[in-house]
Amino acid sequence: MADDKATPQHFIAQIVREDIASGKHTAIRTRFPPEPNGFLHLGHAKAICLDFGIAAEHNGVCNLRLDDTNPGKEDPVYAEAIKDDIHWLGFEWAELRHASDYFEVFYRAALKLIADGKAYVDDLDADQVREYRGTLTEPGRNSPFRERSVEENRDLFQRMRAGEFADGSRTLRAKIDMAAGNINLRDPALYRIRKLAHQMTGDAWPIYPMYDYAHSLSDAIEGITHSFCTLEFEDHRPLYDWCVDHVDLVNHPELLQPLVKAGMPAAPSKPRQIEFARGNLDYTVMSKRKLLKLVEDGLVDGWDDPRMPTLIGARRRGFTAQAIRTFWERAGVSKQNSVIDFGVLEACVREDLDARAPRRMAVLEPLKLILDNLPEGHEEQIELPNHPKDDGFGSRQVPMARELWIERSDFEEDPPKGYKRLRPEGEVRLRGIGIIQHVTTDKDTEGNLTAIHAILDPESRAGMEGANRKVKGTIHWVSAQHAIAAEVRLYDRLFNVAAPEDGQYISHINPGSRRTITAQVEPAAADCPPEQHYQFERSGYFVADRLDHTPDTPVFNRAVSLRDTWTGQRT
């Protein structure tokens, strides 16, 4: 489990602490209940950190429950991805459950509601249901089928279960109040007919429970003490409580017999639902519909595109699990909807990688540098630390030769004011080597710069008297003889406006959100496994691509630049 040291101080944490202090609960049970109909995104990570974090704080348990009640949209691929994402974030569930584990219990509970006169089978079609429901200012009307007898309702529902009726022809509805101010209480549907095969139960069920009904009873079955939901479920809480109270599993354990027979004992509870604001970030969209369009229209390279806000995308880009946990910890939990600056997340990534990413040298836009006073065939090893702030990382030997690669931007023939790198006849320090002075430049027939020549001051080498001579700039390098060509993907924010969540969001795609270049890297950078993080000195934080990288054909993705380049650009 993730080791989050800070004790949360938000309102949900306080509620749970008060419930423990009052003796209302002696053990805390939470759950993370995603529907396996898509890939998890950064917003889901907030819920994961909350659900698992609250349980961990009180030595409780958190279940992973896959809410698989809508087989038309769900896929085992998503289920496996959800499990992988949770493990990657650093959490472990107590039990893996599925809403489908409880289908027989849901069915028995529905029969109980029918017997209690609290549910009925309705023949209205979807359009008629909307017509009868009323509006926010007008009460609804009772269905003409609302007063069917218990016997008739039981018979019809059992025949629904047997598959006698067509899809959508009937529903089972709770009998609550068609004049309720909360529209969710106007006889909501509990079951619908859908003759679709289910990934876990096959063709066993031609009827499926509705989300509010299944979700509330699943929490009660698992003994969940606190059920955390986002704010859009606040208006659903009265229905959640109605289902829990009127099925009353605590006092009707006979409804749970199918689970006992299946070796899945339950200790039912009356859970408390608490709502919190979603995790929203600027410069991105997190609607599944909009993300799906990006994928289907080929505007991104799949769900794991490093520009996507999916967790598999963030991971491939090089964002770390620790950084994401730290980000949501700092963002906090409240009931106030807000949009968080994406730069805050990027800062958490920089902070984490600054502490634990080894340093390597890579030249992203190579320019040849020839040290004229070194002989042809010159070769030596330069010892450099793997981390300037942590001796525990050790050091490495970096090969150096007469010809080197440096960044194209590290030489200017007509430098601007304040420029501190190499200029005509100017001096600069080569990282770990010594001080060089520019001599001349080589150009092609069109006047393009092809190479620069310099002289290395031998008295500025390590251990010599001039080693500490002051110069204004230090640049990095890679030996041209020993460098490894690497594909480097320079990723940035997918959208170029802070609030792309409108009908024209496609038009806001940042054309510079991905650029692929061939860089030259030192051998020790290429020789690494996938998902190895580095700071490429003076360039940014990079990760070896988890799918495409090999030591022979290295591929690196830029996670974040060394500094925030977006501050002040919010539009």
Side-chain angles (χ1 to χ4, degrees), residues 329-360:
E329 175 188 301
R330 292 177 181 174
V333 178
S334 74
K335 279 188 171 286
Q336 183 65 43
N337 278 317
S338 61
V339 178
I340 306 170
D341 187 344
F342 199 87
V344 178
L345 174 57
E346 292 175 322
C348 290
V349 176
R350 289 188 190 95
E351 179 183 314
D352 184 39
L353 291 178
D354 179 60
R356 66 186 185 89
R359 275 43 172 178
R360 294 291 184 265

Side-chain angles (χ1 to χ4, degrees), residues 63 65 95-103 105 200 221-222 255-268:
N63 286 350
R65 181 172 69 243
E95 295 182 67
L96 172 62
R97 296 291 184 99
H98 302 78
S100 57
D101 295 338
Y102 313 136
F103 277 178
V105 176
M200 299 293 290
I221 289 167
E222 293 176 20
L255 298 175
L256 301 171
Q257 284 305 305
L259 298 182
V260 176
K261 290 180 180 179
M264 192 181 296

Side-chain angles (χ1 to χ4, degrees), residues 23 75 122 164 244 290 394 412 494 496 521 526 532 551:
D75 193 299
D122 192 10
E164 289 189 25
V244 171
K290 293 179 179 178
E412 286 288 348
L494 182 57
N496 54 20
V521 304
Q532 171 66 55

